[in-house]
Amino acid sequence: MRRLCLLISILAVMQAQALSRAQSICAPGGCGLPASAIEANRWPNVRPLPIDEALLYDRDYRQIEAAFTMHSAPDSADSQSFGAGYTFVTVQETSGEWTRIGDDQWVRSDILSETITPSRFAGAMLPAAGELPYTVAWTLWHLRGSKTPGGPEAADNPFLYRYTRVYIYASVQVGGYNWYQIGPDQWAHQFKVARILPIEKPAAVDTHKWVSVDLYEQVAIAYEGSQPVFATLVSSGLEEWPTNPGLFHVYVRFPRTLMSGAYAQPDFYYLQEVPWTMYFDDQIALHGAYWHDGFGFRRSHGCVNLTITDAHWLFQWSQSEYDYQNNDLVGPAVYVYSSGEYD
C-alpha cells in the first residue's frame, strides 16, 4: 500500500512539473492563437475521398489464425499444409463444411473468422497552392486536447475521434517534444498527430505524377509536377522489415495479387487478393490493405499499406503516367524519405 501511495505521489509530482514547465513556457501571454483567430479557419480546407461501398465490400475477407490445410476439392487428399501465420483469404463459395478461397483451393469453413470489415478511412484531395493557411494533420488517437502544451488532457475539451482532420496553428517544445495547437486551448503531443508536409520536387524525379512517402509522419502525398494534389495516411515497414528510403519507379502493377513470404518462419504471411498493388522497390509495393485499420503507424513487412479507397485512387490516378502505345510501362516516381527520426 505504501508503494502504491509513493507511486501515485511520484506521478502527481511529475504531472505537476510538466504542467509547470508548460505554464512557464507560455507565460505570461499564453501560447498559440486565440480562439478569435482560429474561428476563421477552424477546419482544414481539404476534401476527403468519397467512400465507394461497392468497392469497399466487393469481397468477403476472412482470417485464418492457426495452421491450416488447403485442398484441391472438398475432402480431397490432394492438399497443401501451411503453418500458423498472418493469413487472410477471400471467400468464393461455401459448400457444406467447406469453403472455396480460390481456384481449386478449399479449406474447412470452421477455421475461418467472421467477415473482416476494411477500414473506412480515406485520404483527402488538396486545394491549390496557397489555399491552406496552416499545416494539416490527422489525429492518430481518440483524444481531448490539453489546455496547455505538456499538460494533461482536459475533460471539458471537445472529444476528437481518431482520423479527425485538424489544422496545426502553433508549435511549442516541451521536454524535447513538439506540442501542436489543434484548436482553441487544445494541444496535442507530436506522437498523437500525423502532419501533411509537402516537399519540393526532387531534381531526380522524372515523371509528372509522383508520390512521396514520409516514413516519419507515415503520410503519402501525390503530386502533379510541383503541386501536391492528394495526401493520406499509410503504414510502412516495421523496424525489422523497413521500407527503404530512396527514389524508385512503379515497375509493375496488379488490380489484385497474392502476397506471401517467410514460409515456415515465425513471420509467415499469406494474403490473398491484395488490392490495387503497385510494386516500386523489388518486392515492396504501394497497395491496399483490407486486414487492418492501423494507418498512421508502421506495421507492414516493408510495403506501404493504404486503405482500399486510397490505393484505388492512386492506382487510377497514376494510369496516365504509362505510355502503353510506346510500350513504356515505367510508372510514377516514388520518393521515400523521412522528415524526422524515431526515438
Side-chain angles (χ1 to χ4, degrees):
M1 185 65 179
R2 292 176 62 186
R3 289 183 179 179
L4 178 60
C5 291
L6 178 60
L7 178 60
I8 292 173
S9 298
I10 292 173
L11 290 174
V13 170
M14 291 174 63
Q15 189 176 69
Q17 290 175 338
L19 183 59
S20 177
R21 286 197 303 269
Q23 289 174 336
S24 64
I25 289 170
C26 293
C31 285
L33 298 185
S36 57
I38 290 174
E39 192 60 35
N41 293 286
R42 182 62 191 98
W43 301 108
N45 178 31
V46 298
R47 178 168 53 86
L49 294 181
I51 299 298
D52 184 338
E53 303 287 336
L55 177 70
L56 208 58
Y57 302 116
D58 68 345
R59 298 290 195 280
D60 184 358
Y61 303 111
R62 307 291 186 96
Q63 183 175 16
I64 300 176
E65 295 186 358
F68 68 101
T69 301
M70 193 182 299
H71 299 257
S72 60
D75 293 313
S76 170
D78 183 12
S79 62
Q80 183 179 6
S81 296
F82 296 85
Y86 200 67
T87 303
F88 288 81
V89 300
T90 52
V91 170
Q92 308 293 321
E93 66 172 297
T94 299
S95 177
E97 298 177 347
W98 293 86
T99 295
R100 184 169 68 86
I101 59 173
D103 294 338
D104 301 321
Q105 295 177 325
W106 293 79
V107 296
R108 295 194 63 86
S109 301
D110 58 7
I111 69 171
L112 298 173
S113 72
E114 296 296 319
T115 297
I116 301 295
T117 302
S119 173
R120 294 181 65 86
F121 170 75
M125 303 299 297
L126 304 178
E131 293 187 16
L132 290 175
Y134 306 101
T135 296
V136 179
W138 285 279
T139 58
L140 297 178
W141 303 87
H142 298 329
L143 61 85
R144 295 181 187 274
S146 305
K147 293 289 188 183
T148 56
E153 289 194 5
D156 59 341
N157 262 341
F159 180 85
L160 298 179
Y161 286 96
R162 167 164 155 77
Y163 295 146
T164 298
R165 296 178 299 276
V166 296
Y167 274 133
I168 294 178
Y169 302 101
S171 176
V172 171
Q173 199 167 85
V174 179
Y177 294 100
N178 291 320
W179 283 74
Y180 299 127
Q181 186 186 24
I182 58 174
D185 297 321
Q186 297 174 53
W187 294 82
H189 191 285
Q190 67 180 72
F191 291 171
K192 294 188 176 183
V193 300
R195 299 173 297 164
I196 300 175
L197 301 176
I199 59 173
E200 292 186 6
K201 184 178 182 180
V205 170
D206 56 358
T207 57
H208 176 64
K209 292 183 176 181
W210 58 285
V211 179
S212 70
V213 178
D214 184 345
L215 299 176
Y216 184 75
E217 295 291 340
Q218 292 291 291
V219 168
I221 303 177
Y223 300 79
E224 295 179 4
S226 60
Q227 176 63 36
V229 297
F230 171 77
T232 192
L233 294 172
V234 300
S235 290
S236 67
L238 291 162
E239 185 176 6
E240 56 268 45
W241 305 293
T243 305
N244 302 316
L247 178 62
F248 311 91
H249 288 83
V250 173
Y251 67 89
V252 68
R253 60 191 223 145
F254 304 98
R256 299 275 175 173
T257 190
L258 171 69
M259 287 188 176
S260 183
Y263 184 75
Q265 298 179 40
D267 58 320
F268 167 67
Y269 61 96
Y270 184 91
L271 307 168
Q272 284 190 335
E273 294 202 89
V274 178
W276 316 115
T277 298
M278 298 190 291
Y279 284 100
F280 63 87
D281 176 19
D282 193 20
Q283 295 302 302
I284 293 177
L286 293 155
H287 65 76
Y290 54 78
W291 50 86
H292 75 80
D293 187 30
F295 301 98
F297 298 95
R298 296 182 296 176
R299 60 175 296 153
S300 83
H301 220 276
C303 286
V304 179
N305 293 184
L306 305 105
T307 63
I308 291 177
T309 299
D310 293 339
H312 178 258
W313 185 90
L314 279 177
F315 198 90
Q316 298 297 104
W317 166 81
S318 65
Q319 178 81 12
S320 62
E321 199 59 52
Y322 301 86
D323 188 349
Y324 295 104
Q325 290 185 339
N326 293 317
N327 201 33
D328 179 7
L329 304 182
V330 176
V334 180
Y335 180 64
V336 184
Y337 74 104
S338 186
S339 62
E341 294 184 8
Y342 284 101
D343 284 353

